[in-house]
Amino acid sequence: MTVRRPSRPHRFSLLSALPLLVLAAGLGLTWTVWEHERQVSRKELRAHFDFSLRETVSRIEQRMAAYEKMLLGVRALFDASATPGRGGLHDYVASLGLDANFSGVQVIGVAEWVPAAGIGSHVAAMRRHGQPDYAIAPPGRRAQFAPVVQRELGSGVLPRPLGYDVWSEPVRRQAMERARDSGKAALSGKVQLAIDAGPAARPGFIMYLPLYARGRPVDSVAARRANLVGWVYASFRMNQLMATLYGEQPPGLALTIHDGIEQAGETRLYPAAEPAAAPAAILSANEYLVIGGHTWTLSLSALDDYQARFGRNAEPLIAGAGAGLSLLLALLAWLLATGRSRAVRLAAAMTSELRIAAAAFDSREGMMITDAERVVLRVNSAFTETTGYTAADMVGRTPRMLQSAQHDAAFYRDMWLTIENIGGWQGEILARRKSGELYPKWLTISAVKGADGRVTNYISTHQDITERKKAEKKIEELAFFDALTGLPNRTLLIDRLKQAMTAGSRERSYGAVLFIDLDHFKTLNDTLGHDQGDLLLQQVARRLGAGLRAGDTVARLGGDEFVVVLAGLGHAPCEAARQTEMLGEKILATLNKPYQLGGLEYRSTASIGATLFHGHDTSIDELLKQADLAMYKSKETGRNALRFFDPGMQRAVMERAALEAGLREAIREGQFVLHYQAQVAGAGRITGAEALLRWRHPQRGMVAPGDFIPLAEETGLILPLGNWVLRGACAQLAAWAARPQMAPLSIAVNVSAKQFREPDFVATVLAVLAETGANPHRLKLELTESLLVDNVQDIIEKMQALKAKGVGFALDDFGTGYSSLSYLKRLPLDQLKIDQSFVRDVLVDPNDAAIARTIVALAQSLGLGVIAEGVETRTQRDFLAGFGCHAYQGYYFSRPLPLEAFEAYAAQPSACPI
């Protein structure tokens, strides 16, 4: 009989081994999860690091963009007023709040572009305008200079004398050249700021923005170089700039910035001092920033602190929890049949808590943590301070309660799609506080993923940027709007005009540009003061804005110049012209109504020039030139009118520009000669000659003075021309003095009103007489009646000063101008000259004959000589002689002759023509 042994000890052995098997399996699983977590943690840390790198680059780029806008505001001051005084720049800088909104800015200043030939007058001008100790530093001879002429300092910055020549330093000069040629802001390399001194000076850099002559073209590099007047600039210390972004260093990160792409001690911009030896970086990366045409190398390294701050740091927790859970599961194995479900719930709860505990939650910025369903789990105290919502208000609810209803569903859909694709999103958003107030904030959202790759939580930071937006808005207003009237300035006008041209091209419709200039505005400023002029400009701006259609633009270019852009005027040019004329007449009627200027009723008119445009057929600069030309045509035809641009105007302007360029070259190349026309007495005895200027053009031949003298008057070139004629005539008098036959002759020289009004005119004439040795009694200066319009007392004093030295005076073209008999008797004149317009028809027009007879009688009553010009026949001479005029000049006696021909004519036994 076989007896079976009990199997209970065997079953007991298997049951005893079960906890060991569970423990081994648990520890093995713990190691697997720990290794996986380590890999995932490193990937997430890398993602956070890359995000920190992008955020650092973004903050620097945003800050530099804000600085550029700030400088655009300074340039707008110059565009509006050409040369704003120190007070204007000071007020603008004060309004920015540098310490609060633009920390890091040391100096905002202006450097003027001065060629070597003008440096002496520049220094003298600065000393006259309140800088008695002004001097150029460093001293020395250079081809060009760019001295600092205005400077506004940040707090804590010690002042330095003006006059420092920034062009003298190669690093600064390279940035200034880039800004000049591009028309945009340019950044310098690493420099020691002029406000710093000594070996402890910290690295800095400078941003330059070019200034060009107002109204001049800047559409090419050559034009920008030709019309440069200076730069506005801002200087920075790099360490202070970075401190405004992060403090001394970004938390948990080691950041260095080098100038250029070389990383060496001499190129390091930040930190200023050589960094102390630091632990090996766990992560590092380089990023190249190109700002203002200049390259920086940004090197970012993550330290152990960064891993503690942003790493998951779950490995120790997993190891400890896994070991504990393995032991617990081994214990629970004994109760497997009855305690299985409870063990599962406990394990799940412990795992969830571990994941939440791994998230970082300590920040100076508002932070929020949600679960995967976007239900709020936690908010920090900074979040409560910013939004007004406490943890009790937020926990268990979704962030939708923060929405402002200013962003549509598509915006949020795109935002969450980005988060799903790349694990994060950042950007500006408009949110709502608990009080209901809307405010702008910078929102950053990062997704936290579990070991299985699924999102377990979302972490968001909320930064209130209200003050930054206010500062940006202030800068934008100064950069794009006129400070006095609030209208768009030239920069914004060009942008609006581009939009109108693009819309016209798309819709195939016409538009128009109106150039408006107030008539006699300078007279108002001179008589009532600039404050009253400003009041008028403000009222004009309001009337223009109120009288336009929706979609039209009115801008102020500066001074009393306004521009209106009309869009959508139809598909036919005749219809567009009709609408433009109708709106222009409406503007004229509006501006003609009385103005109230501080209790005084004032009336003003305007001149308007108009031109049509069709898409992009004509450039913006050309459109503004055309409207400007039409406006001047309106002024020429009587003011208070609207005139359309005529292509003939453009041809005339181009011919005038060519003539002006040729005139300047003629002065440089000495292409002018003097001709002499005889002045005779009686039957033909030569008493002298009038010196007449002729232009010997290399292609056009001899150019008559009527073709270029008016242009010379307008451009101011009459001054060097007039001095050249005076010097040539005096030199000829000195040469004739040595020849007995020519010595008795006098020479008459025409003097322009502009030349005579020069403060040093008397000194110039006397200096020329002394240098040439000419006899002043043989020199006669011919003045025109237009000279007598204003400041007659100054004219009389100058004439008396020269008269005392023997110089004679004749009043030219008498009877055609504005002479007053009361002034005429006070002027120390020697002779009146009857204008040729009266002599030409003296035989057939009784009025001309009466005027000529009256002029002779007036001269005789005042004890003055009289001479008639334009005498071409014997009959004219005899008629004039019949009522007492016995001195003549004209073709009947001699045409204007070159020097040799005139001397030969004067040497004839009888110069009287047969």
Side-chain angles (χ1 to χ4, degrees):
M1 180 177 179
T2 303
V3 180
R4 298 182 63 182
R5 301 178 65 180
S7 60
R8 182 173 298 178
H10 177 70
R11 291 196 300 270
F12 180 79
S13 175
L14 291 175
L15 189 60
S16 300
L18 182 60
L20 297 177
L21 293 175
V22 171
L23 180 61
L27 292 177
L29 180 61
T30 298
W31 183 87
T32 301
V33 174
W34 177 83
E35 178 63 20
H36 181 268
E37 177 64 21
R38 189 175 69 87
Q39 296 295 333
V40 171
S41 177
R42 185 163 184 83
K43 289 180 181 178
E44 287 198 11
L45 184 64
R46 183 73 201 193
H48 277 290
F49 177 77
D50 291 342
F51 184 79
S52 297
L53 178 61
R54 292 195 302 271
E55 184 181 28
T56 300
V57 171
S58 175
R59 289 190 180 189
I60 293 175
E61 289 177 339
Q62 289 178 30
R63 180 57 56 88
M64 298 309 295
Y67 291 147
E68 182 176 352
K69 281 189 177 181
M70 174 188 67
L71 286 185
L72 285 171
V74 179
R75 184 163 74 177
L77 291 178
F78 283 81
D79 288 341
S81 57
T83 52
R86 180 173 301 277
L89 181 61
H90 176 77
D91 293 343
Y92 168 70
V93 173
S95 71
L96 293 179
L98 290 184
D99 294 336
N101 300 312
F102 298 97
S103 298
V105 178
Q106 303 301 304
V107 172
I108 297 176
V110 181
E112 183 176 341
W113 177 242
V114 183
I119 196 64
S121 58
H122 166 78
V123 172
M126 289 295 293
R127 290 177 177 175
R128 286 196 306 270
H129 290 84
Q131 299 291 332
D133 299 326
Y134 181 83
I136 301 297
R141 301 173 65 88
R142 294 183 285 279
Q144 297 93 15
F145 297 82
V148 175
V149 297
Q150 292 192 54
R151 180 193 291 127
E152 292 296 328
L153 307 177
S155 62
V157 179
L158 297 178
R160 293 288 187 273
L162 298 178
Y164 180 72
D165 179 19
V166 292
W167 191 258
S168 64
E169 290 195 23
V171 175
R172 287 174 166 86
R173 184 166 62 248
Q174 288 176 4
M176 297 165 77
E177 288 173 340
R178 289 200 312 274
R180 174 198 63 193
D181 293 346
S182 67
K184 301 177 181 178
L187 222 60
S188 75
K190 176 182 176 182
V191 298
Q192 177 176 319
L193 302 182
I195 57 174
D196 290 333
R202 302 206 170 182
F205 63 92
I206 305 173
M207 180 180 287
Y208 292 98
L209 192 66
L211 297 173
Y212 301 108
R214 186 175 59 174
R216 304 296 295 176
V218 291
D219 51 358
S220 66
V221 173
R224 288 191 281 269
R225 291 183 177 182
N227 297 313
L228 179 73
V229 298
W231 294 263
V232 295
Y233 70 88
S235 60
F236 309 86
R237 290 193 182 106
M238 194 67 185
N239 65 312
Q240 293 187 6
L241 169 64
M242 296 304 298
T244 64
L245 297 178
Y246 289 107
E248 286 303 316
Q249 279 281 15
L253 297 171
L255 174 65
T256 60
I257 300 177
H258 287 82
D259 183 30
I261 60 175
E262 296 292 334
Q263 299 187 38
E266 59 270 16
T267 64
R268 187 178 61 255
L269 281 169
Y270 177 80
E274 180 72 33
I282 58 175
L283 292 171
S284 63
N286 291 336
E287 185 78 17
Y288 298 104
L289 285 78
V290 180
I291 301 175
H294 192 74
T295 302
W296 287 348
T297 300
L298 185 150
S299 299
L300 193 66
S301 300
L303 307 178
D304 291 339
D305 290 345
Y306 189 79
Q307 184 171 15
R309 183 178 176 83
F310 291 105
R312 293 163 65 94
N313 300 320
E315 295 96 321
L317 290 175
I318 289 174
L325 285 173
S326 297
L327 292 171
L328 181 61
L329 289 173
L331 177 63
L332 292 178
W334 295 97
L335 304 173
L336 185 61
T338 59
R340 181 174 178 277
S341 60
R342 183 177 54 185
V344 170
R345 288 196 302 271
L346 178 60
M350 292 177 65
T351 303
S352 176
E353 287 296 321
L354 286 172
R355 286 178 180 153
I356 294 175
F361 199 65
D362 182 18
S363 174
R364 292 176 295 177
E365 297 177 342
M367 292 191 68
M368 174 193 295
I369 296 178
T370 72
D371 61 14
E373 301 302 322
R374 306 172 197 170
V375 175
V376 177
L377 301 177
R378 295 184 186 179
V379 295
N380 66 358
S381 58
F383 177 90
T384 300
E385 291 176 4
T386 300
T387 66
Y389 288 103
T390 65
D393 296 327
M394 295 299 301
V395 173
R397 306 178 69 179
T398 67
R400 292 191 185 92
M401 62 191 299
L402 302 176
Q403 293 181 5
S404 63
Q406 302 298 311
H407 305 283
D408 57 16
F411 172 83
Y412 291 104
R413 184 170 57 250
D414 292 341
M415 180 180 75
W416 284 105
L417 184 61
T418 302
I419 296 172
E420 291 174 6
N421 290 334
I422 66 173
W425 181 90
Q426 65 173 347
E428 184 179 319
I429 193 171
L430 198 63
R432 188 184 303 275
R433 304 187 204 273
K434 186 176 182 180
S435 63
E437 176 192 358
L438 299 181
Y439 72 102
K441 71 178 178 182
W442 188 262
L443 176 63
T444 302
I445 302 176
S446 300
V448 179
K449 296 182 179 180
D452 57 358
R454 295 183 179 180
V455 173
T456 59
N457 300 93
Y458 294 102
I459 301 177
S460 59
T461 61
H462 305 250
Q463 180 184 3
D464 186 348
I465 57 173
T466 302
E467 292 303 318
R468 192 181 82 188
K469 298 297 290 183
K470 288 180 179 178
E472 289 177 355
K473 183 178 180 182
K474 178 67 174 178
I475 292 172
E476 183 175 353
E477 289 176 354
L478 292 170
F480 298 108
F481 291 88
D482 176 55
L484 177 64
T485 63
L487 295 177
N489 62 12
R490 184 183 185 88
T491 302
L492 188 54
L493 166 69
I494 291 175
D495 181 70
R496 296 274 180 86
L497 187 50
K498 285 180 181 176
Q499 296 178 24
M501 294 169 74
T502 301
S505 178
R506 182 176 58 253
E507 300 167 3
R508 298 182 178 179
S509 63
Y510 282 84
V513 174
L514 304 182
F515 202 108
I516 304 171
D517 187 271
L518 302 183
D519 298 329
H520 307 298
F521 181 73
K522 182 178 183 301
T523 303
L524 170 65
N525 274 341
D526 293 343
T527 55
L528 298 182
H530 289 270
D531 55 338
Q532 299 299 316
D534 289 347
L535 284 176
L536 177 63
L537 292 174
Q538 291 169 343
Q539 294 184 36
V540 167
R542 287 195 291 270
R543 292 187 185 185
L544 289 174
L548 294 181
R549 308 168 306 169
D552 295 336
T553 296
V554 57
R556 180 184 176 221
L557 291 188
D560 60 338
E561 296 176 343
F562 298 84
V563 171
V564 173
V565 178
L566 305 175
L569 297 179
H571 302 287
C574 56
E575 172 62 18
R578 186 191 68 79
Q579 290 191 49
T580 302
E581 183 175 17
M582 180 179 66
L583 289 170
E585 295 296 340
K586 179 181 177 183
I587 290 173
L588 286 175
T590 300
L591 298 184
N592 284 349
K593 295 177 181 178
Y595 299 86
Q596 294 297 323
L597 304 181
L600 174 69
E601 183 175 284
Y602 180 80
R603 290 185 177 272
S604 177
T605 60
S607 299
I608 304 179
T611 187
L612 300 180
F613 63 86
H614 189 255
H616 294 278
D617 293 347
T618 308
S619 69
I620 289 177
D621 285 343
E622 192 64 27
L623 280 177
L624 293 176
K625 289 178 185 177
Q626 291 176 1
D628 192 23
L629 285 172
M631 182 273 294
Y632 277 108
K633 191 66 176 178
S634 173
K635 286 189 177 293
E636 290 175 5
T637 54
R639 306 177 190 269
N640 192 27
L642 169 70
R643 291 291 181 271
F644 279 88
F645 171 75
D646 180 357
M649 297 180 190
Q650 185 69 13
R651 288 194 297 273
V653 169
M654 294 176 64
E655 292 173 358
R656 178 188 179 282
L659 184 63
E660 181 180 347
L663 192 57
R664 294 183 185 278
E665 183 179 1
I667 294 175
R668 292 193 302 269
E669 301 297 329
Q671 297 175 3
F672 294 99
V673 295
L674 287 180
H675 283 194
Y676 299 86
Q677 186 173 29
Q679 295 182 337
V680 302
R685 179 176 57 86
I686 298 178
T687 60
E690 180 178 1
L692 300 171
L693 186 63
R694 296 293 184 268
W695 180 4
R696 190 163 49 200
H697 195 281
Q699 283 82 39
R700 298 172 58 183
M702 199 66 70
V703 181
D707 293 338
F708 66 87
I709 289 297
L711 179 60
E713 289 271 8
E714 184 179 344
T715 59
L717 295 175
I718 195 66
L719 298 178
L721 279 178
N723 290 335
W724 184 87
V725 172
L726 178 64
R727 186 173 297 275
C730 289
Q732 196 56 54
L733 282 175
W736 285 349
R739 300 167 57 183
Q741 187 176 7
M742 305 296 292
L745 300 184
S746 63
I747 293 181
V749 175
N750 287 287
V751 178
S752 75
K754 183 172 293 188
Q755 184 181 6
F756 196 90
R757 290 193 182 102
E758 285 292 292
D760 59 348
F761 176 74
V762 173
T764 299
V765 174
L766 296 180
V768 169
L769 288 169
E771 292 173 10
T772 59
N775 183 354
H777 294 85
R778 300 296 181 198
L779 177 64
K780 180 168 59 178
L781 302 182
E782 293 191 356
L783 311 178
T784 61
E785 286 188 278
S786 61
L787 182 66
L788 308 179
V789 175
D790 56 12
N791 205 0
V792 177
Q793 186 58 40
D794 178 67
I795 296 168
I796 294 173
E797 291 174 359
K798 288 180 178 178
M799 291 177 67
Q800 289 175 340
L802 291 173
K803 186 77 171 177
K805 300 295 183 180
V807 177
F809 290 94
L811 192 58
D812 197 7
D813 303 334
F814 185 73
T816 63
Y818 315 93
S819 296
S820 165
L821 294 180
S822 63
Y823 289 148
L824 195 61
K825 68 180 182 180
R826 296 171 56 195
L827 296 174
L829 293 169
D830 297 286
Q831 189 179 61
L832 298 182
K833 198 170 190 178
I834 304 175
D835 186 68
Q836 59 181 337
S837 62
F838 303 131
V839 176
R840 183 183 304 113
D841 297 325
V842 73
L843 300 177
V844 296
D845 189 333
N847 292 326
D848 286 347
I851 292 172
R853 186 180 294 108
T854 301
I855 293 174
V856 173
L858 176 63
Q860 291 173 348
S861 66
L862 293 175
L864 303 176
V866 63
I867 183 172
E869 65 175 345
V871 179
E872 298 182 352
T873 66
R874 177 189 292 271
T875 308
Q876 288 175 337
R877 183 201 66 178
D878 293 343
F879 183 84
L880 292 167
F883 50 76
C885 177
H886 301 292
Y888 320 101
Q889 179 180 338
Y891 282 12
Y892 175 66
F893 301 96
S894 172
R895 292 175 176 272
L897 301 172
L899 177 62
E900 295 79 3
F902 175 78
E903 289 179 339
Y905 170 76
Q908 293 177 4
S910 175
C912 180
I914 299 174

